[in-house]
Amino acid sequence: MIGEKGKLLYNVYRALTYGLSPFLYLHLRFRTLQGIEHPVRWPERLGRPSTPRPPGHLIWFHTASLGEGMAAIPVIKRCIEERPDCTILMTSTTASAFEIITNQLPTGVIYQFAPLDIPAAMDAFLGYWKPNAVMLMECELWPNLILGAARNGIALALLNARMSAKSFSRWSRPVLLPLISLMLSKFSLIVPLSTMQGIRFQLLQAPPYVINFSGDLKYTVEEFDISKRGVQSIEELKVQLAHRRVWMVSSIHRGEEEVMLGVHKVLMRMHPDMVTIIVPRYPQHGREIAIELQKEGLSVALRSRDEKLVSGTSIYVVDTLGELRHFYTLTPIAVIGGSFLPGLTGHNISEAAAAGCAVLTGHHVGHFSDMVLKMQRSNPLSVLQDGSWPKLSLNY
């Protein structure tokens, strides 16, 4: 009965996405004009390939954005070691992921932008690339993709599988449960990133025998390769910061900068020589922060302009991608954003911890709560959340 309801719901979804396709096309073109989509390769989002498909077996790895893409790379490398005869195709949805990931992928891996989950785009994509298996990362549960692959006899796996509490609540509703149950029934393998996530997938009627645990793949993310000039610039910053107190806030979202700049002003009264490094989630946000601070008369150094930390400069804004791990080596304290406002779901804290930083976050950490708890069990002071922060000393 649930299977029949699921098929009916999918037919409704497919009809709706078919009907909305012209509007989604216009939205895609608008995003391209805004600079959000790639200016040349945007047709790939409609399932139009930009490179030939090699003969033989092909495995498709699909990720949403940069974090998931980097977590997939160690798995891709392992696949190449085990099956060098297979071609690997990787897709993501964001231009920022494209800029970084394409330089990190092993030789021979094909990169394309992911097709929209509309019938024409997804059918064209699957028909052209004909993957033998699809590896979806984290929470990329798209009906036309999953059921289209299953209809073509393509094996499906969901790696580092997760589902936010909000998404779980939505999918659990009686009207949507048959659809998600149908989708999850098509997977041959689901690898949750935690026990709690595994329970959620079972409650959504994923077959228990396809659920296997291996841990969070984001612990395996490798260091980004950056240019020699980038390495040299980091070393220069170390020299400039050698005799100054410094703390860093990373991956902040809009609205969080107001909280962090308030903290900055308080700390400046205690430590006039202090430097705050701000690394927004999106580079454009960093440039906007710098402009606003300059209007207030503050001296700000902007990373993309290669500006130096001179006397009187107390804020350094990093509006570039792919350098976060290197910046963690410059500071003893890292505040991880995306966690201080309702509706946010946190970011990876393991990179800051691996660099030896004292890690602080807000309470809105979403699926990263499992990572926070594991680190706190190992050392209660390894990760502190707001409300439990002691007066951390900048005297080092």
Side-chain angles (χ1 to χ4, degrees):
M1 185 66 176
I2 288 180
E4 291 304 314
K5 284 185 177 179
K7 291 175 183 176
L8 176 61
L9 284 170
Y10 172 62
N11 288 334
V12 171
Y13 175 87
R14 187 171 175 87
L16 283 173
T17 51
Y18 179 81
L20 290 172
S21 294
F23 302 101
L24 293 172
Y25 171 81
L26 291 174
H27 181 62
L28 178 67
R29 295 297 288 124
F30 179 67
R31 285 170 56 88
T32 305
L33 293 173
Q34 285 185 310
I36 300 173
E37 300 287 342
H38 195 280
V40 176
R41 299 183 62 169
W42 65 267
E44 294 173 17
R45 301 282 277 141
L46 299 173
R48 302 171 188 170
S50 60
T51 190
R53 185 205 190 281
H57 292 285
L58 183 142
I59 302 174
W60 172 23
F61 280 80
H62 172 59
T63 68
S65 57
L66 180 58
E68 293 89 343
M70 294 307 297
I73 288 179
V75 184
I76 289 173
K77 290 182 175 178
R78 184 64 177 172
C79 285
I80 293 172
E81 290 175 7
E82 293 292 326
R83 288 293 302 271
D85 58 312
C86 280
T87 298
I88 303 295
L89 168 67
M90 185 176 191
T91 62
S92 70
T93 59
T94 63
S96 59
F98 166 78
E99 292 173 10
I100 302 299
I101 291 175
T102 49
N103 294 322
Q104 310 298 323
L105 289 171
T107 303
V109 174
I110 299 170
Y111 183 93
Q112 298 278 280
F113 283 98
L116 299 174
D117 198 52
I118 55 178
M122 193 57 68
D123 291 351
F125 186 92
L126 291 172
Y128 180 84
W129 291 104
K130 294 181 173 60
N132 298 91
V134 180
M135 308 290 180
L136 304 179
M137 293 296 294
E138 300 206 356
C139 54
E140 288 298 282
L141 295 170
W142 296 99
N144 284 322
L145 189 165
I146 293 168
L147 296 172
R151 191 165 56 246
N152 285 280
I154 301 167
L156 285 153
L158 185 61
L159 307 182
N160 230 36
R162 66 176 177 86
M163 185 172 289
S164 68
K166 184 177 180 180
S167 294
F168 175 72
S169 176
R170 183 171 63 247
W171 282 116
S172 298
R173 294 171 185 168
V175 69
L176 291 179
L177 182 59
L179 177 58
I180 189 65
S181 174
L182 176 65
M183 291 162 60
L184 294 177
S185 73
K186 304 303 180 183
F187 284 89
S188 302
L189 175 66
I190 296 175
V191 186
L193 59 78
S194 69
T195 303
M196 177 56 70
Q197 293 295 334
I199 291 170
R200 285 180 180 170
F201 282 101
Q202 287 197 43
L203 290 173
L204 293 174
Q205 302 182 358
Y209 59 86
V210 305
I211 297 176
N212 290 273
F213 295 90
S214 69
D216 192 339
L217 288 175
K218 287 192 174 175
Y219 284 119
T220 69
V221 172
E222 300 170 348
E223 198 165 298
F224 289 18
D225 293 328
I226 63 173
S227 66
K228 289 183 179 179
R229 175 66 192 124
V231 173
Q232 181 182 345
S233 178
I234 295 291
E235 293 302 317
E236 290 172 357
L237 273 172
K238 284 183 180 179
V239 174
Q240 295 169 40
L241 293 168
H243 302 292
R244 301 182 68 173
R245 296 173 176 86
V246 59
W247 72 295
M248 185 172 95
V249 53
S250 67
S251 301
I252 60 169
H253 290 239
R254 293 186 187 280
E256 291 186 304
E257 72 275 13
E258 297 174 12
V259 178
M260 299 307 156
L261 291 172
V263 174
H264 168 80
K265 290 174 182 177
V266 172
L267 290 174
M268 283 294 290
R269 289 198 287 270
M270 295 185 287
H271 306 286
D273 65 336
M274 189 195 67
V275 174
T276 298
I277 300 174
I278 300 176
V279 190
R281 174 69 169 165
Y282 302 105
Q284 181 58 36
H285 185 203
R287 291 186 274 276
E288 292 168 4
I289 291 172
I291 290 170
E292 289 301 314
L293 291 175
Q294 288 165 348
K295 286 180 181 177
E296 295 178 17
L298 295 173
S299 177
V300 181
L302 198 60
R303 175 69 173 168
S304 63
R305 296 177 186 164
D306 200 25
E307 294 173 343
K308 308 300 180 186
L309 278 170
V310 297
S311 177
T313 302
S314 61
I315 298 177
Y316 189 89
V317 178
V318 182
D319 59 333
T320 55
L321 293 168
E323 299 182 302
L324 187 56
R325 282 196 174 193
H326 297 276
F327 274 92
Y328 283 136
T329 66
L330 302 178
T331 175
I333 299 171
V335 179
I336 314 300
S339 60
F340 291 91
L341 299 176
L344 299 178
T345 56
H347 289 292
N348 189 358
I349 62 173
S350 65
E351 295 174 328
C357 299
V359 179
L360 298 88
T361 77
H363 281 292
H364 305 282
V365 293
H367 70 279
F368 287 103
S369 59
D370 186 69
M371 187 181 286
V372 170
L373 289 171
K374 283 181 179 178
M375 292 176 66
Q376 288 176 337
R377 287 192 196 107
S378 174
N379 179 351
L381 296 178
S382 60
V383 184
L384 301 176
Q385 293 179 278
D386 64 327
S388 62
W389 296 3
K391 291 182 179 178
L392 291 178
S393 174
L394 292 170
N395 295 311
Y396 57 89

